[in-house]
Every structure is written in C-alpha cells, then in structure tokens.
Amino acid sequence: MSKYRVVAGDWASLKPDASYIREQVFILEQEIDPTDEWDEQDPISVHFVVYAQGNSEGQSQHQDSNQGQAIATARLLKDDHVGRVAVLKSHRGQGIGKVVMREIIQYAKTEQRSQLVLSAQVHAIEFYRGLGFEVQGETYLDCNIPHVDMTMSL
Ligand code: COA
C-alpha cells in the first residue's frame, strides 16, 4: 500500500483538513493575514488533501483515524490556477509536494484542460520547474511576498 493517499473533493468535504494545513503553513508560519488567506474561490474550487498512512510519530497534526494524517493540500480553480500549495513543515523534502502537484496535473488532464497557471512564491520556483512549469514575466509582491507567474501546457 502507498504511504500517501490523495483525496480530491469540494470545500464542504475537505475544509477541516485543508484549512488546518493552510492555517499552519500560511497564517502561522508565513504570517499571511487570515483575511487574505480565505476567499470566495474556496467554495468553488476543487481541493486536494494528502493523507499519510500509518504512524505520525506522536506529532500533534490533524489526525483522522479513518483517513490518516492530513499533511498537504492545494486547490485547483475553475480558471486553471493552482494555489494554496502547502506541505506541513514537518513533512517537507520527502516528495509530498510533488505527490499533490502530480495529482492535480493528472486531474486537470482528465478534465481536458489545456494548461495550468500559478503564482509561485519565488523560493518555490525550482519546485514548480521540476514539475514542468515555466516562469512568465517579472516578479511582483503579493501579501508582501515576492511571487512570479508560472504556466504549464498540458
Ligand atoms: N527550492 C528548490 N527546490 C525545491 C524546493 C525549494 N524551496 N522545495 C522543493 N524542491 C525540490 C526538491 O528538491 C525536489 O526535487 P527532486 O524531485 O529533484 O528531488 C522537488 O522539488 C520536490 O520536492 P518535495 O519534497 O515534493 O517538496 P515539498 O514536499 O517540500 O513541498 C513546497 C514544496 C513548496 C510545497 C513546501 O516547501 C511548502 O509547503 N512551503 C511552504 C508553503 C509555500 O511556500 N507554498 C508555495 C506557495 S507558491
């Protein structure tokens, strides 16, 4: 059995796990204002949550005995934007970001979308480049964090 399971769903079903991860990563770690974090796109996006199967080594992350431990999330908007890509700090560098992004790429291909678009924090450019995204244009500030647009043709 795979170590990780990715679940795709709507906000109504994935909000508890997705919002927990986003709160930990964007609001607490990156100090993004909660009024910027939660927006009108959540109820109309497809959300993805990665669950780790098995032992969480006693760490205090969100745990559901049926699903496993929620460790990463991202969302896909109707206009092909991927956003809110977040892996809990304790689980980075283990390929989990890649797991959730590959699931989104596969999902978008199944929906016969022609491209994916995202606004990448500059520190994550190489992460997205490794998945096939290319930088478009100049960097700009969003929530006081340098970003750059990236796209990928499907
Ligand atoms: N700089 C350069 N390369 C990076 C990187 C970084 N900051 N983060 C990951 N990579 C590379 C890895 O080395 C790996 O390369 P490989 O495939 O050649 O081995 C590949 O990207 C996949 O890495 P992975 O382990 O799947 O990444 P992750 O699980 O640590 O998740 C983020 C990456 C960016 C999602 C994670 O660091 C995170 O949640 N950061 C905080 C939130 C954030 O900034 N999100 C992005 C908003 S645009």
Side-chain angles (χ1 to χ4, degrees), residues 25 30 85-87 92-98 121 123 127-128:
V25 173
Q30 296 193 344
V85 182
V87 177
R92 290 185 197 147
Q94 301 170 35
I96 296 161
K98 216 153 58 171
Q121 292 186 18
H123 73 83
F127 166 69
Y128 292 119

Side-chain angles (χ1 to χ4, degrees), residues 54-154:
N55 193 347
S56 66
E57 295 171 7
Q59 292 169 19
S60 59
Q61 282 104 15
H62 213 225
Q63 181 103 33
D64 179 313
S65 55
N66 295 319
Q67 297 269 47
Q69 181 190 7
I71 53 173
T73 191
R75 71 181 188 185
L76 175 62
L77 277 59
K78 287 182 187 297
D79 67 358
D80 301 331
H81 274 79
V82 180
R84 305 300 199 269
V85 182
V87 177
L88 289 179
K89 198 168 187 177
S90 52
H91 286 74
R92 290 185 197 147
Q94 301 170 35
I96 296 161
K98 216 153 58 171
V99 166
V100 69
M101 286 302 300
R102 283 188 174 152
E103 188 75 18
I104 291 177
I105 291 164
Q106 196 48 49
Y107 184 97
K109 283 182 178 169
T110 305
E111 286 205 322
Q112 298 188 321
R113 300 190 188 214
S114 59
Q115 60 163 4
L116 287 173
V117 182
L118 56 83
S119 174
Q121 292 186 18
V122 162
H123 73 83
I125 288 174
E126 291 310 315
F127 166 69
Y128 292 119
R129 205 175 254 147
L131 288 152
F133 285 83
E134 290 172 4
V135 168
Q136 308 289 339
E138 303 300 315
T139 61
Y140 52 89
L141 285 182
D142 185 16
C143 297
N144 256 343
I145 298 173
H147 282 73
V148 67
D149 291 338
M150 298 185 80
T151 59
M152 177 183 185
S153 297
L154 298 177

Side-chain angles (χ1 to χ4, degrees), residues 14-79:
L14 291 178
K15 180 179 179 183
D17 290 336
S19 62
Y20 168 79
I21 296 162
R22 284 165 52 179
E23 193 172 358
Q24 296 298 311
V25 173
F26 294 119
I27 297 176
L28 298 177
E29 185 187 337
Q30 296 193 344
E31 301 183 335
I32 287 174
D33 193 312
T35 59
D36 289 323
E37 178 57 29
W38 314 115
D39 64 15
E40 72 290 344
Q41 294 297 330
D42 280 324
I44 55 171
S45 296
V46 184
H47 297 266
F48 298 79
V49 173
V50 182
Y51 294 92
Q53 314 291 316
N55 193 347
S56 66
E57 295 171 7
Q59 292 169 19
S60 59
Q61 282 104 15
H62 213 225
Q63 181 103 33
D64 179 313
S65 55
N66 295 319
Q67 297 269 47
Q69 181 190 7
I71 53 173
T73 191
R75 71 181 188 185
L76 175 62
L77 277 59
K78 287 182 187 297
D79 67 358

